[in-house]
Amino acid sequence: MAEAVSEGARGVLLRGAPSGESWAYVAFSLSPVPLPGGLYPEFSEARRRADRVAAERTWLAALWTDRTTARWDLRFISDPASGRIETVVIAQLYGADPAAAVRAARDALPTLARFPAHVTGTRIEDTAEIARLLAPFVPGWGAIAEIRKRITCRTLTRLWGVERIATAVSRFDARDPSWDRIWTQLAAEPRRTVVSVCLEPCSAPPGLAEGLTMRAQAFGTLAVPGPPDPLYGGPVPGDPFAQEAHRLYDAASRRYTGRLHRARVSVAVEGEAPVSDFLTGLISHTVAPTTSGAVVVRPQGRQEHQVACGNLLGVNRDWQREAYWQGVPAFLRTPSGGQLWLSDPGTVTALADLVDADEAAAVFRLPHEEPGEPELFALKRRAPNTSRNGAPAGSTDGGWTDFGPGV
């Protein structure tokens, strides 16, 4: 069995856990397919953009699997010396043992390699190169951040039973956003920077839609004027926050069904200086431009810094207890005898990184180029348009710290 694993594991990076499980990583280097120049391209830029978005959505839908702990990580790594961006997609698959992990990785390869027509993917066969791409550098303190959905907690002007506090979770509300400004800024960053977008396929948790529907109804009741106050005689006005919470929960009850993903967006820079506020703000505005529904969070303390680094370097999705809660009071973060229905922490954490097809497409944008625009993406592994699984890539030795994959 050991020989079979070794033979089948070519181009598969394996990492083990103390309990015996294994994680397998496979990777592709991505480059935009150049478009012909000239004053009269075949289709308009708007048409090409719509076609790209549709193709990427189809590719993501085909990648969806009910296999637990399968993750796809799209990362853009800048090079200040050349002003170009290295782009890779890394698949992480779980197995009960090394052989099972390798089989899972190889089973995923055919679908993963069917990239949309505007992208060329070259399989990276050198496992040392995959390790370098997983950890191009280890971020120093303050040099890593994540873009998350905004969690808002408010005191209501009207009671709901004994509850007077409510919590709501925003969504990534961009409709087919362009990442051109993000890539342009990333290429111009003075320090080596990585933007990592991780998607984990999942199904809607049982009972989630029903619970969201009931909360939407409750907030809808609180949002409209209530019966007249017997003491003062006037009608009780609707609660402003309940109006927004009703909209969010109503939309979530319809969107978060069936096949979904968990998402994580990380931004890190090399060195000890803080990550760029302009770049992180640009990403958050791009994925949620309408309602400011995205927020930049930074690790709160050294332990959370280690978690954030592990998320990036190990393709993890581990929870940061302080940063992710975004200032929500501690007593609202754990169940308390059923007294937190409007701020149920289980519902909030379930929604915090859950994304539907629209949101997944908004954050998981593959590279592309337009005629006449500056070339931003690295060319060193651009393959000719012959095979989707091109020749093995060369190896670049780079130091990395093994923070270990999570589940």
Side-chain angles (χ1 to χ4, degrees):
M1 178 61 72
E3 292 182 0
V5 172
S6 176
E7 177 65 23
R10 181 185 176 190
V12 180
L13 175 65
L14 283 170
R15 290 182 178 175
S19 52
E21 298 93 341
S22 293
W23 288 264
Y25 299 83
V26 292
F28 284 83
S29 174
L30 304 183
S31 293
V33 173
L35 293 175
L39 297 177
Y40 304 102
E42 184 177 1
F43 298 114
S44 68
E45 183 176 348
R47 169 68 182 276
R48 288 194 299 272
R49 178 178 171 183
D51 288 347
R52 285 194 298 261
V53 171
E56 290 174 11
R57 290 172 69 104
T58 300
W59 178 68
L60 278 177
L63 280 179
W64 194 93
T65 175
D66 58 4
R67 178 185 295 276
T68 57
T69 63
R71 295 178 184 136
W72 326 113
D73 189 298
L74 173 66
R75 53 185 58 194
F76 305 95
I77 306 169
S78 73
D79 176 22
S82 65
R84 297 295 181 89
I85 302 169
E86 185 175 21
T87 310
V88 295
V89 62
I90 302 170
Q92 179 203 65
L93 288 305
Y94 165 85
D97 54 50
V102 169
R103 286 195 299 271
R106 301 197 72 82
D107 288 347
L109 277 173
T111 304
L112 182 64
R114 297 191 189 103
F115 296 105
H118 60 280
V119 176
T120 294
T122 304
R123 174 81 185 279
I124 299 174
E125 300 280 1
D126 190 324
T127 56
E129 176 71 349
I130 298 175
R132 181 192 71 83
L133 294 167
L134 279 169
F137 53 82
V138 178
W141 171 248
I144 189 168
E146 293 185 19
I147 285 76
R148 302 279 298 180
K149 292 185 178 183
R150 186 180 297 276
I151 300 176
T152 307
C153 183
R154 292 287 186 272
T155 299
L156 298 171
T157 58
R158 296 179 60 186
L159 285 173
W160 181 262
V162 297
E163 292 189 75
R164 195 61 176 271
I165 298 177
T167 306
V169 181
S170 71
R171 60 181 299 269
F172 296 145
D173 56 21
R175 181 66 181 175
D176 305 335
S178 169
W179 275 51
D180 291 349
R181 291 184 62 200
I182 296 173
W183 294 327
T184 299
Q185 179 60 35
L186 178 61
E189 285 293 315
R191 294 169 296 159
R192 202 152 55 119
T193 304
V194 57
V195 176
S196 161
V197 182
C198 177
L199 291 181
E200 177 183 280
C202 67
S203 298
L208 177 65
E210 292 82 357
L212 295 176
T213 298
M214 289 189 294
R215 285 170 176 81
Q217 292 170 348
F219 283 116
T221 299
L222 296 173
V224 299
D229 188 300
L231 182 60
Y232 298 102
V236 177
D239 184 88
F241 179 69
Q243 297 174 12
E244 176 66 10
H246 167 73
R247 185 188 67 81
L248 289 171
Y249 278 103
D250 182 59
S253 68
R254 289 179 279 105
R255 287 180 171 275
Y256 298 136
T257 61
R259 296 182 172 186
L260 303 169
H261 288 88
R262 298 283 180 187
R264 171 187 52 77
V265 181
S266 299
V267 183
V269 296
E270 191 171 25
E272 298 292 332
V275 66
S276 166
D277 288 337
F278 186 83
L279 177 62
T280 53
L282 188 58
I283 297 172
S284 64
H285 180 73
T286 298
V287 300
T290 304
T291 62
S292 298
V295 61
V296 180
V297 301
R298 292 172 172 78
Q300 303 297 305
R302 296 288 177 178
Q303 183 175 1
E304 286 199 351
H305 174 76
Q306 292 292 320
V307 173
C309 289
N311 285 343
L312 173 65
L313 307 182
V315 190
N316 296 345
R317 205 178 49 77
D318 293 333
W319 186 267
Q320 298 176 44
R321 291 184 298 175
E322 296 298 326
Y324 285 2
W325 275 110
Q326 302 172 34
V328 172
F331 73 92
L332 293 178
R333 303 180 187 182
T334 56
S336 178
Q339 299 299 309
L340 297 175
W341 192 75
L342 290 181
S343 291
D344 173 49
T347 302
V348 172
T349 54
L351 293 177
D353 55 8
L354 197 64
V355 295
D356 64 5
D358 291 339
E359 293 172 295
V363 297
F364 212 84
R365 298 305 315 274
L366 299 180
H368 65 264
E369 291 178 351
E370 284 291 334
E373 295 295 326
E375 292 187 347
L376 300 176
F377 298 96
L379 307 177
K380 64 179 182 180
R381 280 203 292 265
R382 178 169 287 176
N385 293 324
T386 54
S387 171
R388 294 285 186 189
N389 301 314
S395 172
T396 302
D397 186 22
W400 56 281
T401 299
D402 187 358
F403 283 82
V407 296

